[in-house]
Amino acid sequence: MTEEADVVVVGAGHNGMAAAGYLSRAGKRVIVVERLGKVGGMTSAGYMIPEAPSHLVTPCAVELLFVRGSGLIEELELEKHGLRWVDPDPTYAYLDPSGASVCLFRDPKRTAEDMGRLNPQDGKNYLKFLELLNALMDIGFPIMKSEPGRPDLKNASKLVGSLVRNAKLKNELQILAAGTADQIACEWFEHPANIALMTNTAAGAGPVDDDGNGAAYMILAALHRLGTGKPIGSLQSFANAMAASIEASGAKIMLNAPVAEILIDDGAARGVRLEDGRVIKAKAVIASCDPRTAFAMTTPGKVERRLLERIKHAPANRSNAAPFLANLALSKPLTLKRHQDMRHDGADLNKAVGYIGTPEQVREAFAAARRGDIPKENAVSVTPLSNTDPSQAPAGGGLAYIYVPGMAVDAREGWSQEIKDRTMRDLIAQMSEFYDGLDAEVGRFVETARDREQRLNATNGCVTHIDFGSLRSGQNRPATGFGGPKPAVPGLYIGGAGAHPGGGISGLPGKIAAKRILRTLK
């Protein structure tokens, strides 16, 4: 059987569906093919714990954040298609072993005041630091939205205006852009708890000791401006709204349709062949899966060998550190007592993401991952999802999302079930020093990077598809020759996290791929 379309999109993650949405709204015939039985990719969720069939498991991301500033929600009318969210405030809170806590509130002044309780100068410095981060966001967001290598007058004018307004911060911005997240935190703040709040936040973007990742702190500026946005019903509801939107505009989604081959003929992409033998012919193909997986599926012998080798060597979790994730289904809600009792400002820590991990533990987590070791104590964040959205657990129950940002992709001992169980015992023992309710576990979902690789077909389980850095951004993402206005292989476009502007929930890689195709087809 053969079908025809203007564009076929490989992968129904949020970037793939974003591309399909913009193309179908422009009148193009679009077919999205997805290997799994539901849409979402890394924005999916489901009932994945046999012992707890009414607890909704989120195995990847849980927050919207950057997509709330990208325009995608409004342009694809996602609220019309059912998207709703909540904004807990405070959003994040560092939980010190002493019982003290430091909160990130939506209001930057309130955040500064909270840091200032521990160190008055740190509170003053936070507002100065935020001036720098706001400048970074004013400059960075237009770059994120722009198509690499192609003039964009609208975003370019915003960029130039931001550069002019923030000219006096040039040197500080260069230091921020070149420094490590750990270094930047220690330069600006003195109290260990305030440093821990910073480094735990930055750890979500990768190793805190990599040069250039100080720019990860832009998330703080985005948080204060946009809020984080936790979708009601998990990120699956976001993915479902995306699917409803693009189908309403004419796109077709095919589930349980794994791709066997991206068809390359006469030097250009011509469509895809599915594993069941069906062929979809198209004028262009968007690969929203990771680039290494995509190019491995191209017709053998039809893509220049040097290009294939270049993409094979694009780094994906090169440092051997990646997120380790667990969802704990509980028979009662998760609560903080000691830390909550020490608050006297009305802040509800039970709805915040709780950071556990001193600056030393954050550093050691990534160092241990590089060695292949699994520390007994780790840097970990705890999100009591059902405390902000009761629909994700049965009445009276609880759901905890456990995120360890830096865990070994390949452990020295291997990731046997015994090692996973031991790691979870250690994590639960550590978290139990802070949270009450972990003894009410009724089931769990646990996923290492290798498990994620198998489930989502993502190389090394890399959540950003390709490691991010100054040499892997813009036209150089995912590799030199692949990120410019013209694709390395005519007709084959990268439209997932492996393309500019990278990982996170924004939809921008898909939107940019759609723009390029519309211009080509026009």
Side-chain angles (χ1 to χ4, degrees), residues 18-98:
Y22 287 105
L23 288 165
S24 58
R25 283 169 177 260
K28 304 304 176 187
R29 295 172 300 157
V30 185
I31 297 177
V32 182
V33 290
E34 169 56 49
R35 64 189 288 269
L36 299 178
K38 61 183 174 184
V39 299
M42 290 189 187
T43 57
S44 65
Y47 298 95
M48 303 163 72
I49 303 176
E51 305 89 342
S54 299
H55 287 76
L56 184 59
V57 170
T58 301
C60 284
V62 293
E63 296 172 342
L64 296 171
L65 193 56
F66 286 111
V67 75
R68 297 175 73 179
S70 71
L72 183 141
I73 291 175
E74 297 77 18
E75 291 160 1
L76 298 187
E77 301 178 291
L78 299 189
E79 289 184 86
K80 174 182 172 183
H81 293 281
L83 178 62
R84 301 288 183 273
W85 60 80
V86 291
D87 276 300
D89 193 18
T91 304
Y92 306 106
Y94 170 66
L95 308 176
D96 193 73
S98 69

Side-chain angles (χ1 to χ4, degrees), residues 180-469:
T180 72
D182 191 15
Q183 162 213 324
I184 296 299
C186 292
E187 279 191 28
W188 281 88
F189 306 102
E190 297 180 30
H191 196 283
N194 291 331
I195 293 171
L197 179 68
M198 294 293 105
T199 55
N200 274 281
T201 300
V208 296
D209 54 355
D210 279 356
D211 286 334
N213 68 359
Y217 288 122
M218 190 173 80
I219 190 176
L220 298 173
L223 182 154
H224 290 306
R225 290 191 199 183
L226 306 171
T228 52
K230 287 186 169 63
I232 300 295
S234 80
L235 272 180
Q236 186 66 57
S237 67
F238 167 65
N240 292 345
M242 292 274 289
S245 170
I246 70 172
E247 287 181 323
S249 60
K252 178 181 179 181
I253 300 174
M254 296 171 58
L255 300 177
N256 298 306
V259 172
E261 181 182 351
I262 295 176
L263 301 170
I264 310 294
D265 186 37
D266 196 23
R270 307 295 181 184
V272 300
R273 178 174 58 83
L274 304 181
E275 287 185 2
D276 63 9
R278 287 179 292 174
V279 171
I280 302 172
K281 293 183 177 179
K283 300 170 186 175
V285 176
I286 294 177
S288 71
C289 55
D290 89 82
R292 288 169 60 160
T293 297
F295 277 85
M297 292 192 294
T298 56
T299 304
K302 296 295 185 178
V303 176
E304 184 186 346
R305 190 190 71 83
R306 288 186 63 200
L307 290 177
L308 291 177
E309 288 300 320
R310 196 178 308 160
I311 209 72
K312 273 186 200 175
H313 285 79
N317 288 337
R318 179 179 282 171
S319 68
N320 199 43
F324 173 98
L325 285 146
N327 280 222
L328 298 182
L330 308 167
S331 60
K332 62 182 180 182
L334 203 61
T335 57
L336 279 166
K337 186 174 190 314
R338 187 163 58 102
H339 292 77
Q340 187 65 58
D341 286 348
M342 289 183 66
R343 299 293 307 193
H344 301 289
D345 59 354
D348 188 353
L349 300 183
N350 291 303
K351 293 183 178 179
V353 177
Y355 288 145
I356 298 170
T358 64
E360 292 76 20
Q361 287 172 323
V362 175
R363 294 168 192 139
E364 174 55 21
F366 289 104
R370 291 189 180 98
R371 300 191 302 265
D373 293 336
I374 305 170
K376 193 168 183 65
E377 292 191 338
N378 222 303
V380 56
S381 69
V382 181
T383 307
L385 284 172
S386 55
N387 288 357
T388 55
D389 178 14
S391 72
Q392 297 189 40
L399 180 67
Y401 170 88
I402 313 302
Y403 183 92
V404 182
M407 187 72 85
V409 175
D410 293 310
R412 188 192 304 272
E413 302 172 83
W415 277 112
S416 65
Q417 189 59 50
E418 180 184 353
I419 300 300
K420 286 185 194 177
D421 290 343
R422 187 188 75 191
T423 301
M424 286 303 300
R425 282 197 301 272
D426 289 342
L427 283 169
I428 289 172
Q430 182 182 3
M431 294 184 295
S432 294
E433 294 294 318
F434 300 81
Y435 283 92
D436 295 322
L438 291 164
D439 57 344
E441 180 185 339
V442 294
R444 66 177 62 164
F445 171 89
V446 178
E447 189 167 77
T448 67
R450 287 296 174 206
D451 294 331
R452 189 179 310 116
E453 177 181 53
Q454 185 174 6
R455 183 174 63 86
L456 293 176
N457 206 24
T459 303
N460 297 334
C462 185
V463 295
T464 58
H465 290 182
I466 300 295
D467 294 346
F468 192 80

